[in-house]
Amino acid sequence: GSMKHNVPAADRDHFVVLVQGEAKLKKIVEFSASDDAYLLLLDRNGEVQWRGHGILREDNYIPLLDAAKRLAP
């Protein structure tokens, strides 16, 4: 099956699957661990406002939440 079919239909608008530009993306996310999930929070202009990877814990969740609040209208 494809990656698309592994993501529930209701969640597909919140996922981006990239098949090109791997090296550039790894630089942007500060890639260091191949088994980690990576998350970027972007503003309306596509600028990275927060980045993280691995297990989401309180010590990295709080800065993510703060960044999201700053972006909220």
Side-chain angles (χ1 to χ4, degrees):
S2 71
M3 290 177 71
K4 180 179 178 180
H5 295 297
N6 291 329
V7 176
D11 293 336
R12 290 182 190 155
D13 287 345
H14 304 286
F15 283 80
V16 176
V17 177
L18 302 174
V19 294
Q20 296 180 27
E22 180 180 345
K24 187 173 184 178
L25 180 61
K26 283 182 174 181
K27 184 176 180 181
I28 292 168
V29 300
E30 300 175 353
F31 181 83
S32 62
S34 62
D35 289 336
D36 281 2
Y38 286 78
L39 177 66
L40 295 174
L41 177 64
L42 307 175
D43 64 18
R44 292 179 187 199
N45 298 315
E47 297 293 323
V48 176
Q49 299 301 311
W50 183 91
R51 69 178 48 113
H53 68 94
I55 297 171
L56 189 61
R57 295 192 169 98
E58 187 172 352
D59 63 329
N60 56 8
Y61 173 74
I62 299 298
L64 169 59
L65 185 61
D66 290 343
K69 286 178 181 177
R70 286 192 302 274
L71 294 175

